[in-house]
Amino acid sequence: MREWAVVDVAELREDTPGCAGVVFLDNAGASLVPRQVHRAVVEHLELETRVGGYEAQDLAAGALAQTSEQVAGLIGADPGEVVFFEGASQAWSQALGAVELEPGQRVLTTTSEYASNGVGLLRMARLREVRVQVVPDDAQGVLDLGVLEAELARGDVGLVAINHMPTHSGLVNPAEAVGVLCRRFGVRYLLDACQSVGQWEVDVERIGCDLLSATGRKFVRAPRGTGFLYVRSGARLGEPLLVNHIGGEWSGPQEYRVAPGAAGFASFEHAVAAQIGLGVAARYARWVGMGWARERIGGLAGLLRAQLGQVAGVRVHDRGRELSGIVTFSVAGRESAWVVKALREQGVRTSLSRPADQVWAQEPAQGQGGAQAVVRASVHYYNTEAELERVVELVRSLA
């Protein structure tokens, strides 16, 4: 790992050809991949054109082992505790399906849970006859730890499932403090770390989660179609919802046996080139250093929030004691979709954060029609202060 003091932003931008000619602020959607990742993916695809997919996978055994080691190292896990998927939603759903829940138990979640995860929780509640309970926010808009502790103390909680950082704002949930409470009360803990892996230090031992899902395409800077699941060794889980002959094996004419831990979630088919790219991206992230990345991204996001907050007619929506690299704002008198389009025409890539992304949110309704979409500008360490100043001036002209 390199020291923070010698990280050269110009070098990072040189490694990122996509920085040329565009101000890229959609890293919470899918960030720009480094040239090293692009090269690794293309080289494997070229190998497949020469020898076919199966032989190419055999030849890439070392690179795939490196992916396991690098991704595990990025989150402080053992390589045997990590299994790969085509995306985080698939990984999260498989994790949820492996949690054995008794009828009448409760699953606790947060107001900021992803809409996709919320649907999965409600579906599981219907199948298992359990109840999903949303823990309210405290005065600063963060998961209320006092309420969570009281609900855990009541008993009948089979799972706590939250996100570390939601997709729709700069909020950061107290993942480590939640882990302390879950361990104290012996309750399983599923953490969605899609937005935090790659921009913050994420250590599964410190967090204390039993399961953690994440994607490659966001702050890790890997190709789309990559995701992974961490399964703590010895975690109290049942069988994955979907099992095949890779995660399990025949043990008799009408019987099968599932491999323990993360191995039981493994499947046969996957995009080998993309998985290799994920490993290279994880190695790049570790080379940059997550401590420096958090400091850099936090500083840039703070600068953007502060400057946007000084523009007449602009409202910044982020809440919480700690804030991530996601900055959300709206412009009075302008539809946020229009603002996103206008910025894109000027070479600035942002995205839209919609009310449907946060169905359990407690933030007061915006405007007469209720909650409205807002602009989401998510920075990465390769962005520059000059780029953000340009964005602020563009927003000023739109306002």
Side-chain angles (χ1 to χ4, degrees):
M1 308 306 148
R2 53 166 53 190
E3 296 296 328
W4 295 6
V6 297
V7 177
D8 184 352
V9 174
E11 182 181 358
L12 301 179
R13 289 175 66 83
E14 185 179 347
D15 283 343
T16 312
C19 286
V22 65
V23 179
F24 195 84
L25 298 178
D26 191 19
N27 298 286
S31 61
L32 299 174
V33 301
R35 56 183 173 82
Q36 293 89 338
V37 172
H38 174 264
R39 182 169 59 242
V41 172
V42 170
E43 285 177 352
H44 185 80
L45 290 175
E46 290 176 344
L47 178 62
E48 287 188 350
T49 66
R50 296 195 299 272
V51 303
Y54 281 15
E55 184 175 348
Q57 179 174 340
D58 292 340
L59 294 172
L64 292 171
Q66 276 293 305
T67 295
S68 295
E69 291 179 11
Q70 294 297 333
V71 170
L74 187 60
I75 62 171
D78 183 270
E81 296 177 309
V82 174
V83 63
F84 299 98
F85 291 88
E86 293 180 354
S89 293
Q90 185 184 32
W92 185 92
S93 297
Q94 275 285 76
L96 178 64
V99 178
E100 294 183 318
L101 298 169
E102 299 296 329
Q105 283 190 314
R106 294 179 295 148
V107 176
L108 303 182
T109 188
T110 174
T111 66
S112 64
E113 191 54 280
Y114 298 119
S116 152
N117 292 356
V119 171
L121 288 171
L122 294 176
R123 173 63 174 161
M124 185 57 62
R126 183 182 299 175
L127 290 174
R128 301 281 177 84
E129 299 181 355
V130 298
R131 182 162 63 94
V132 177
Q133 182 175 338
V134 180
V135 177
D137 299 331
D138 63 17
Q140 293 181 289
V142 181
L143 173 73
D144 193 315
L145 291 171
V147 174
L148 176 63
E149 182 176 10
E151 294 298 334
L152 289 169
R154 283 178 52 198
D156 294 327
V157 177
L159 176 70
V160 172
I162 68 167
N163 62 76
H164 195 178
M165 301 176 183
T167 186
H168 56 267
S169 76
L171 173 71
V172 179
N173 278 313
E176 292 185 20
V178 171
V180 170
L181 291 174
C182 287
R183 288 194 297 271
R184 185 199 306 173
F185 290 97
V187 173
R188 288 156 298 190
Y189 178 18
L190 166 58
L191 181 68
D192 189 317
C194 276
Q195 299 291 4
S196 55
V197 176
Q199 76 159 302
W200 272 35
E201 312 100 316
V202 173
D203 187 313
V204 292
E205 290 302 320
R206 288 207 312 266
I207 292 172
C209 53
D210 298 291
L211 300 152
L212 178 147
S213 62
T215 184
R217 63 180 161 86
K218 298 180 184 292
F219 289 90
V220 179
R221 306 181 62 193
R224 290 197 68 175
T226 57
F228 62 91
L229 175 67
Y230 159 77
V231 182
R232 178 180 295 280
S233 295
R236 295 182 295 111
L237 300 172
E239 295 178 357
L241 197 59
L242 301 174
V243 181
N244 57 44
H245 68 293
I246 302 301
E249 61 180 2
W250 290 102
S251 57
Q254 298 293 326
E255 298 177 352
Y256 66 92
R257 179 169 47 246
V258 178
F265 292 83
S267 61
F268 176 74
E269 188 55 48
H270 56 281
V272 176
Q275 189 172 327
I276 291 171
L278 171 61
V280 175
R283 184 177 66 206
Y284 192 92
R286 298 179 71 198
W287 173 74
V288 168
M290 288 298 95
W292 179 85
R294 174 178 176 174
E295 184 177 274
R296 170 75 179 171
I297 292 170
L300 290 172
L303 174 66
L304 183 58
R305 285 191 192 93
Q307 293 191 357
L308 285 172
Q310 295 174 3
V311 178
V314 172
R315 177 187 172 191
V316 177
H317 295 272
D318 303 310
R319 303 173 66 195
R321 284 181 288 277
E322 292 184 289
L323 297 174
S324 73
I326 299 175
V327 179
T328 56
F329 67 95
S330 57
V331 179
R334 300 289 193 185
E335 292 288 337
S336 292
W338 181 89
V339 175
V340 170
K341 183 175 182 293
L343 289 173
R344 180 178 291 268
E345 291 171 350
Q346 296 299 317
V348 177
R349 300 291 189 270
T350 58
S351 58
L352 205 59
S353 181
R354 301 173 177 83
D357 296 332
Q358 43 177 328
V359 292
W360 289 323
Q362 292 179 255
E363 186 176 356
Q366 307 160 25
Q368 295 181 346
Q372 303 294 318
V374 297
V375 181
R376 184 181 72 173
S378 45
V379 304
H380 214 314
Y381 51 65
Y382 51 65
N383 290 123
T384 66
E385 290 81 355
E387 285 182 327
L388 301 187
E389 290 170 2
R390 178 177 172 232
V391 171
V392 171
E393 289 308 308
L394 286 172
V395 172
R396 192 188 310 277
S397 69
L398 298 177

